[in-house]
């Protein structure tokens, strides 16, 4: 049987959750069976481009979708017209992905997968308007959680594909902890941590306000925020005027999230909505006690070190932070104690599920 030709599509390939999921799948698919191409809008992170070069996976860069949706669609249509694909796998957050799906249908791609990675979106009015047409454009529906699938597709009409990653990489590493804390000038006091994009739905200012309250009773504490995003300047401006500015570390993007998690003592995740929350999975595997928004799907629970709180009061989060006992001695045992739940998200397992679906879907169209 010839290789199954798959095109992965995304609005961009930044250093964010969706891009990480795409890259994890691409790097673990059996490339002897699947011929994979990525088509994504600008920007494309250099690290993703380099990894694809190593894997031998071509990336076709399209115009920035948000700035010029028309140019994005025109170039996508040209690219799809050049090669016959069997499967298009569209990664997105709302019915606005109807554009990619419709262009794929126009180019006679028989298997069109929509893969939802969130449980809400920023433009809900437009999402609702496009939903009726959107639901006629895909042939197969994936979601990263039940909450995400129910929101975009409706109950029972999708398959949950857990966001797979190399879980073992996120085990606590005491050497990395010492290395990063020394590098960041952290000699004592608990480190409150967060990893995620700096945008409104990740709620970064709430994280900072909760820390400000917490620091009033924990003067040696630090806040370590890892990530970037469209609200970066807003966050930086807020920190400049914060009484705790000397205790807040805006680290930026990093390729060593496991090491930075090892440097933290408590992890906070006050998102306004989430499809799943990969950062929370990674933080738990590192043995960190976690506080998460009530809006986060409970699929993310791996053990007994996570609490869910409403996001209407930084004082509440500060009080809960103060009640957590900070300790490192048992962090490296979390993986073994919760191995069965963790392996549900291991890329070695999830890619098997994905490959079986790809092959089964392809076989059906070949048999017709």
């Amino acid at each position: 049987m010839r290789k199954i030709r798959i095109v992965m599509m995304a609005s961009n390939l930044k250093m964010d959750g969706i891009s990480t999921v795409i890259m994890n799948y691409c790097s673990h698919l059996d490339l002897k069976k699947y011929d994979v191409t990525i088509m994504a809008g600008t920007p494309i992170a250099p690290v993703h481009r380099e990894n694809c070069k190593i894997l031998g996976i071509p990336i076709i860069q399209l115009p920035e979708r948000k700035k010029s949706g028309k140019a994005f669609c025109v170039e996508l249509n040209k690219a799809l017209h050049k090669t016959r694909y069997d499967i298009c796998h569209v990664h997105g957050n709302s019915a606005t992905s109807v554009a990619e799906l419709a262009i794929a249908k126009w180019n006679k791609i028989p298997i069109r997968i929509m893969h939802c990675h969130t449980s809400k979106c920023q433009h809900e009015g437009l999402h609702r308007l496009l939903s009726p047409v959107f639901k006629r454009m895909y042939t197969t529906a994936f979601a990263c959680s039940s909450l995400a699938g129910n929101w975009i597709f409706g109950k029972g009409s999708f398959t949950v594909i857990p966001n797979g990653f190399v879980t073992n990489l996120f085990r606590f590493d005491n050497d990395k902890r010492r290395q990063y804390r020394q590098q960041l000038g952290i000699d004592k006091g608990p480190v409150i941590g967060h990893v995620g994009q700096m945008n409104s739905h990740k709620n970064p200012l709430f994280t900072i306000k909760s820390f400000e309250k917490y620091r009033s009773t924990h003067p040696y504490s630090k806040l370590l925020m890892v990530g970037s995003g469209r609200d970066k300047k807003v966050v930086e401006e807020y920190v400049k005027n914060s009484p705790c500015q000397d205790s807040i570390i805006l680290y930026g993007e990093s390729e060593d999230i496991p090491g930075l998690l090892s440097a933290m003592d408590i992890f906070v995740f006050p998102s306004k909505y989430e499809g799943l929350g990969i950062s929370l999975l990674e933080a738990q595997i590192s043995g960190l006690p976690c506080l998460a928004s009530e809006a986060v799907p409970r699929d993310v629970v791996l053990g007994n070190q996570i609490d869910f709180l409403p996001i209407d009061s930084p004082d509440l989060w500060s009080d809960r932070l103060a009640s957590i006992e900070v300790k490192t001695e048992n962090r490296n045992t979390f993986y073994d104690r919760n191995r069965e739940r963790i392996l549900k998200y291991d890329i070695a397992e999830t890619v098997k599920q994905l490959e079986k679906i790809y092959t089964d879907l392809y076989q059906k169209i070949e048999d017709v």
Side-chain angles (χ1 to χ4, degrees):
M1 186 174 71
R2 70 167 174 81
K3 285 185 181 182
I4 299 173
R5 298 191 187 98
I6 299 167
V7 55
M8 296 269 190
M9 297 184 195
S11 60
N12 59 66
L13 212 62
K14 299 186 292 187
M15 295 287 284
D16 62 11
I18 291 181
S19 300
T20 299
V21 170
I22 293 170
M23 291 307 304
N24 281 338
Y25 284 133
C26 286
S27 61
H28 288 83
L29 283 167
D30 185 349
L31 298 181
K32 293 178 182 177
K33 296 179 181 177
Y34 307 98
D35 189 351
V36 181
T37 298
I38 295 175
M39 294 185 188
T42 303
I44 294 175
V47 65
H48 297 326
R49 192 181 293 281
E50 183 60 29
N51 287 337
C52 283
K53 184 178 179 181
I54 292 168
L55 292 166
I57 294 176
I59 294 181
I60 297 174
Q61 184 168 345
L62 305 171
E64 188 172 349
R65 196 180 193 276
K66 284 189 176 179
K67 285 188 176 178
S68 181
K70 182 179 178 181
F72 176 92
C73 291
V74 167
E75 292 305 315
L76 175 62
N77 183 56
K78 287 180 183 177
L80 290 181
H81 193 66
K82 291 177 182 177
T83 304
R84 176 178 170 262
Y85 293 100
D86 305 300
I87 299 173
C88 78
H89 188 157
V90 179
H91 298 263
N93 291 329
S94 73
T96 58
S97 292
V98 68
E100 290 93 325
L101 293 163
I103 294 168
K105 185 175 182 179
W106 174 259
N107 283 278
K108 297 181 172 57
I109 300 178
I111 300 164
R112 299 179 299 280
I113 299 170
M114 175 62 198
H115 196 152
C116 181
H117 293 274
T118 191
S119 59
K120 207 173 181 181
C121 68
Q122 290 185 311
H123 308 289
E124 290 199 48
L126 182 59
H127 165 76
R128 287 193 295 270
L129 181 67
L130 294 173
S131 281
V133 179
F134 163 75
K135 289 181 178 180
R136 295 200 298 270
M137 291 297 111
Y138 59 81
T139 60
T140 305
F142 290 167
C144 63
S145 68
S146 298
L147 186 66
N150 290 336
W151 172 73
I152 196 169
F153 301 120
K155 290 187 177 181
S157 57
F158 58 91
T159 299
V160 173
I161 306 284
N163 287 339
F165 58 99
V166 184
T167 57
N168 194 51
L169 290 177
F170 291 87
R171 299 182 75 143
F172 176 71
D173 186 327
N174 203 39
D175 290 337
K176 282 288 186 75
R177 176 180 175 84
R178 285 195 293 266
Q179 174 190 325
Y180 275 107
R181 287 172 80 98
Q182 182 178 10
Q183 175 187 315
L184 296 169
I186 301 167
D187 54 0
K188 58 181 176 178
V191 175
I192 310 303
H194 173 79
V195 177
Q197 286 280 297
M198 287 185 179
N199 54 40
S200 59
H201 95 260
K202 294 291 186 181
N203 219 359
L205 296 185
F206 185 92
T207 294
I208 297 170
K209 290 173 184 177
S210 299
F211 172 73
E212 288 172 337
K213 300 281 186 181
Y214 176 78
R215 187 179 174 278
S216 65
T217 55
H218 295 74
Y220 296 108
S221 60
K222 301 281 188 182
L223 175 62
L224 174 57
M225 299 183 72
V226 182
S228 187
R230 60 179 171 268
D231 291 342
K232 179 183 176 183
K233 289 184 179 178
V234 174
V235 173
E236 288 175 337
E237 193 62 33
Y238 184 93
V239 170
K240 280 181 187 177
N241 297 301
S242 170
C244 304
Q245 61 174 300
D246 293 336
S247 298
I248 299 172
I249 302 167
L250 301 180
Y251 192 88
E253 295 176 344
S254 173
E255 295 177 34
D256 186 18
I257 300 301
L260 289 164
L261 289 172
S262 290
M264 300 172 186
D265 295 298
I266 305 171
F267 191 82
V268 293
F269 201 73
S271 294
K272 295 177 182 177
Y273 57 89
E274 282 291 336
L276 181 64
I278 296 177
S279 295
L280 265 176
L281 296 170
E282 296 168 348
Q284 289 175 87
I285 291 170
S286 186
L288 284 168
C290 300
L291 294 185
S293 158
E294 288 183 337
V296 173
R298 299 311 187 264
D299 306 49
V300 81
V301 175
L302 296 177
N304 60 1
Q305 294 184 188
I306 183 168
D307 287 324
F308 297 89
L309 300 174
I311 49 174
D312 52 8
S313 170
D315 288 347
L316 175 62
W317 282 62
S318 171
D319 291 343
R320 189 61 63 88
L321 285 170
S323 72
I324 296 173
E325 182 183 359
V326 173
K327 51 187 178 181
T328 59
E329 56 266 27
N330 295 321
R331 282 180 63 175
N332 57 4
T333 66
F334 184 91
Y335 192 97
D336 296 324
R337 287 185 282 115
N338 299 279
R339 184 180 180 84
E340 186 176 343
R341 287 184 181 177
I342 291 170
L343 289 182
K344 172 185 173 185
Y345 294 98
D346 196 87
I347 190 65
E349 297 300 318
T350 59
V351 81
K352 287 179 188 175
Q353 183 183 1
L354 184 60
E355 286 187 348
K356 185 178 187 308
I357 294 173
Y358 279 163
T359 303
D360 288 349
L361 290 170
Y362 176 73
Q363 198 61 56
K364 286 179 182 177
I365 63 167
E366 283 292 284
D367 291 343
V368 174

